[in-house]
């Protein structure tokens, strides 16, 4: 029997035991070691969190923005001081390499930095004399109690896409981390406590589906941010909207990259491999289909096969590891079954990463990079999200055919083009029906001061996470039209 403790929730500035007796195990996906037990909180815990947030809101919203962001400056400093410990925690619970985990933390910190600009970003605007003697002013006010529901693949960064902006804008937030990776957030809570942030401004409620449903149905929660798979994103969006809540729901992806014959194949292969196999392919911006045009087919195939074969798979905490495990045994089985489906559908296994065994880590959920060649449009995996280290190769005759392939998919998270032609790049940028575009790069992750876009089945809503969209999402605009007739005023 393991002595691992059950994680608390964080409500009203206190660590509180969930009222639910149900829990899940959190295990290191590389070693199988028990890390924690995560409570599967129900409506009662969500209600307590919502009440604590509601109680804190009137005072927090009246705290001047310039004062509110002082807690975030402090948080940035603490995140930097604790970066290595937090990165270790990300690797332990999520499986990615330590270097990838550090990168994730860095991207999270950038969001804290941008949110520190709220005193300026949150300004409204005004017009004097919209009619004779009448002025009009737009002011932004916080929405109230908001919630963010996040996935397993970025335990630290994705909560930081939301929390800093929500709080800086004067809202109080409930975070519902993925039940598969709740440990890093528990550590983040300790840092938040050290900033001295008033109690009730940030809550963490652990759990899974029932917790999310309680959030969606709670009348005090006015806005919901969600990141996860498309099926759940769509359902969360519909349920939140039916209740009149604001919602921004980021879903799954199937990201294509197009390789033109004039691209530098060595560089393109290296970048494409990092995109497809980095974080074991468990990134919503991972390349999963490479569409080569004309003679790029052979040269790209040779390069990517070579790189995929050499990638060092192992425990993310060990030096030199280039790819860690996938999150669970179920994920591994699902990915292996999809590889088989792709082969049965006519694909050719150029590199088959199934059945990977890593010495010393027999309990780990490892796969090696996989490359499937000759994937056609009617192959059942050509449009399906695999969310593992699998790259499908597709051959197209022209750039027009390649762009048509990109636009025929149900997802629209990211697409990239590799070329030396500015005209081709411009055409692609203009015509591709996706939210995030990369030119000669493999992971087009927007900086924190740009919206993290996403179209079609990759996003439900209108305002995205990060940057100015986040400020729009977390504030409501109030318009004041005012007249102060001279004749009504005392003479001074
Ligand atoms: P998931 O949909 O299983 O879970 C996401 C969150 O929803 C978790 O907090 C989970 O507890 C909750 N949840 C799960 N099932 C639910 C249900 N039936 N009802 C209500 N809530 C539920 O996703 P995941 O496996 O944690 O993450 C991987 C997915 O996230 C992939 O599809 C990936 O593409 C996507 N993702 C998208 C982005 C993006 O920016 N678009 C970023 C990261 C991950």
């Amino acid at each position: 029997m393991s002595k691992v403790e059950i994680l608390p929730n964080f409500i009203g500035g206190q660590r509180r035991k969930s009222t639910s007796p149900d829990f899940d195990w959190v295990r290191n996906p590389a070693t199988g070691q028990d890390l924690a037990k995560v409570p599967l909180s129900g409506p009662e815990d969500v209600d307590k969190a919502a009440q604590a947030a509601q109680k804190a809101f009137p005072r927090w919203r009246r705290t001047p923005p310039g004062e509110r962001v002082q807690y975030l400056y402090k948080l940035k400093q603490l995140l930097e001081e604790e970066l290595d410990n937090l990165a270790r925690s990300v690797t332990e619970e999520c499986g990615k390499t330590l270097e990838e985990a550090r990168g994730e933390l860095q991207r999270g910190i950038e969001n804290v930095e941008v949110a520190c600009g709220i005193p300026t970003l949150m300004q409204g605007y005004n017009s004097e004399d919209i009619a004779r003697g009448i002025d009009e002013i737009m002011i932004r006010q916080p929405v109230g109690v908001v919630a963010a529901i996040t996935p397993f693949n970025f335990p630290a960064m994705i909560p930081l896409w939301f929390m800093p902006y929500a709080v800086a804008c004067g809202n109080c937030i409930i975070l519902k981390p993925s039940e598969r990776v709740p440990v890093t957030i528990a550590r983040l809570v300790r840092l938040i406590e050290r900033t001295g942030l008033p109690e009730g401004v940030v809550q963490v409620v652990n759990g899974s589906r029932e917790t999310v449903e309680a959030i969606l149905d709670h009348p005090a929660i006015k806005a919901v941010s969600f990141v996860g798979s498309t099926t759940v994103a769509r359902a969360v969006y519909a349920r939140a909207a039916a209740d009149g809540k604001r919602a921004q729901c980021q879903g799954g992806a199937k990201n294509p990259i197009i390789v033109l014959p004039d691209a530098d194949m060595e560089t393109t292969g290296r970048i494409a491999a990092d995109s497809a196999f980095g974080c074991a392919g468990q990134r919503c911006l991972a390349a999963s289909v490479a569409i080569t045009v004309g003679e790029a087919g052979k040269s790209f195939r040779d390069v990517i096969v070579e790189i995929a074969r050499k990638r060092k798979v192992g425990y993310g905490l060990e030096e030199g590891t280039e790819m860690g495990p996938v999150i669970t045994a179920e994920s591994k089985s699902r990915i292996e079954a999809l590889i088989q489906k792709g082969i049965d559908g006519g694909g050719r296994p150029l590199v088959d990463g199934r059945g990977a065994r890593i010495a010393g880590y027999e309990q780990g959920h490892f796969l090696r990079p996989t490359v499937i060649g000759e994937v056609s449009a009617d192959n059942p995996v050509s449009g399906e999200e695999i969310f593992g280290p699998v790259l499908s190769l597709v051959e197209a005759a022209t750039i027009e055919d390649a762009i048509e392939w990109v636009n025929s998919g149900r997802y629209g998270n990211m697409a990239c083009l590799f070329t030396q032609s500015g005209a081709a790049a411009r055409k692609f940028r203009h015509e591709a029906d996706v939210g995030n575009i990369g030119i000669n790069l493999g992971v087009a992750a927007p900086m924190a001061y740009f919206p993290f876009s996403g179209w079609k089945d990759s996003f439900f809503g209108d305002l995205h996470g990060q940057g100015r969209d986040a400020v729009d999402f977390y504030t409501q605009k109030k318009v004041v039209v005012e007249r102060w007739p001279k004749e009504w005023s005392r003479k001074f």
Side-chain angles (χ1 to χ4, degrees):
M1 269 296 275
S2 167
K3 294 205 183 72
V4 166
E5 293 295 313
I6 194 151
L7 290 171
N9 291 328
F10 182 66
I11 295 176
Q14 311 286 323
R15 282 175 230 170
R16 296 207 204 161
K17 199 165 174 276
S18 167
T19 55
S20 162
D22 301 331
F23 67 88
D24 264 358
W25 283 100
V26 183
R27 295 201 167 97
N28 182 321
T31 64
Q33 184 204 348
D34 295 334
L35 297 175
K37 286 186 220 165
V38 59
L40 302 179
S41 307
E44 209 179 311
D45 296 303
V46 169
D47 184 51
K48 281 185 184 156
Q51 283 189 35
Q54 240 182 335
K55 189 165 166 230
F57 177 62
R59 182 187 276 250
W60 182 242
R61 68 164 285 199
R62 283 196 307 272
T63 305
E67 222 175 281
R68 291 198 296 251
V69 297
Q70 295 309 314
Y71 299 98
L72 294 179
Y73 282 113
K74 181 82 182 149
L75 182 63
K76 168 182 152 65
Q77 185 198 331
L78 292 172
L79 283 167
E80 281 170 348
E81 283 170 18
E82 291 295 319
L83 195 140
D84 280 340
N85 289 333
L86 290 164
R88 219 186 141 81
S89 163
V90 167
T91 297
E92 283 172 349
E93 65 178 347
C94 177
K96 60 182 69 172
T97 68
L98 203 49
E99 196 188 327
E100 288 166 344
R102 286 199 189 103
E104 143 161 25
L105 260 306
Q106 198 47 52
R107 300 308 299 256
I109 291 169
E110 284 161 16
N111 279 282
V112 179
E113 289 170 0
V114 173
C116 285
I118 286 294
T120 318
L121 291 170
M122 205 182 153
Q123 287 174 335
Y125 47 82
N126 66 291
S127 291
E128 208 175 33
D129 290 321
I130 50 132
R132 233 170 279 279
I134 300 181
D135 305 327
E136 190 157 333
I137 305 166
M138 189 281 277
I139 53 180
R140 286 177 186 274
Q141 296 189 332
V143 175
V145 179
V146 302
I149 299 151
T150 50
F152 79 82
N153 62 331
F154 284 93
M157 179 187 78
I158 295 185
L160 291 172
W161 278 354
F162 305 112
M163 187 277 275
Y165 302 99
V167 162
C169 288
N171 303 282
C172 295
I173 190 167
I174 301 169
L175 294 172
K176 205 301 282 172
S178 165
E179 64 278 27
R180 284 176 274 175
V181 293
V183 176
T184 307
I185 285 294
R187 285 169 180 256
L188 188 70
V189 159
R190 283 180 221 144
L191 302 188
I192 290 171
E193 283 178 304
R194 283 170 61 194
T195 66
L197 191 74
E199 60 187 45
V201 176
V202 173
Q203 324 339 282
V204 174
V205 180
N206 287 294
S208 56
R209 179 179 185 154
E210 205 195 338
T211 327
V212 173
E213 288 174 350
I215 287 172
L216 296 173
D217 294 344
H218 200 289
I221 299 171
K222 302 296 179 202
V224 174
S225 305
F226 173 90
V227 183
S229 55
T230 286
T231 311
V232 183
R234 190 194 296 275
V236 166
Y237 185 70
R239 192 152 167 172
D243 199 37
K245 297 187 198 317
R246 288 184 177 197
Q248 48 178 196
C249 299
Q250 301 180 214
K254 179 84 186 177
N255 303 308
I257 60 169
I258 299 178
V259 184
L260 296 187
D262 67 344
D264 178 289
M265 281 310 153
E266 287 300 322
T267 317
T268 302
R270 187 175 42 74
I271 296 174
D274 283 342
S275 175
F277 311 132
C279 298
Q282 300 172 119
R283 268 192 299 216
C284 67
L285 296 180
S288 57
V289 184
I291 309 167
T292 52
V293 174
E295 74 250 31
K298 181 174 175 346
S299 43
F300 179 76
R301 185 174 61 236
D302 291 348
V303 172
I304 196 77
V305 161
E306 170 94 6
I307 299 175
R309 283 202 180 117
K310 284 193 186 147
R311 205 164 183 95
K312 187 164 181 295
V313 178
Y315 186 23
L317 286 186
E318 279 182 6
E319 192 109 3
T321 299
E322 294 173 309
M323 191 177 105
V326 296
I327 189 74
T328 55
E330 297 77 57
S331 283
K332 180 178 160 157
S333 312
R334 184 184 51 79
I335 295 162
E336 291 188 335
L338 284 167
I339 294 171
Q340 189 57 47
K341 198 167 157 188
I343 296 167
D344 294 344
R348 196 150 70 88
L350 302 172
V351 187
D352 189 341
R354 291 174 293 177
R357 295 273 174 280
I358 307 298
Y361 298 103
E362 286 73 16
Q363 303 299 315
H365 316 306
F366 291 98
L367 284 120
R368 292 187 189 279
T370 296
V371 182
I372 309 177
E374 296 169 28
V375 173
S376 58
D378 57 1
N379 188 311
V381 298
S382 69
E384 189 168 345
E385 180 175 44
I386 297 180
F387 219 57
V390 182
L391 184 68
S392 301
L393 304 187
V394 169
E395 296 194 17
T398 63
I399 185 173
E400 283 77 15
D401 291 348
I403 293 175
E404 200 180 307
W405 176 293
V406 170
N407 292 347
S408 67
R410 62 183 283 224
Y411 297 107
N413 217 33
M414 182 194 80
C416 300
L417 177 75
F418 291 85
T419 183
Q420 294 186 31
S421 159
R426 187 168 190 276
K427 175 183 172 68
F428 173 70
R429 186 179 78 182
H430 188 70
E431 293 178 13
D433 285 339
V434 302
N436 299 298
I437 294 278
I439 307 286
N440 293 319
L441 47 88
V443 181
M447 292 297 290
Y449 34 85
F450 281 92
F452 193 104
S453 192
W455 289 10
K456 294 159 80 178
D457 276 1
S458 295
F459 183 72
F460 304 92
D462 48 6
L463 295 169
H464 296 274
Q466 299 195 151
R468 289 181 210 166
D469 270 31
V471 179
D472 279 334
F473 187 75
Y474 287 124
T475 57
Q476 43 193 349
K477 301 184 188 84
K478 183 180 274 181
V479 179
V480 183
V481 186
E482 58 184 24
R483 175 164 60 188
W484 295 102
K486 228 179 13 213
E487 54 276 19
W488 295 356
S489 301
R490 272 177 58 198
K491 300 271 181 307
F492 296 106

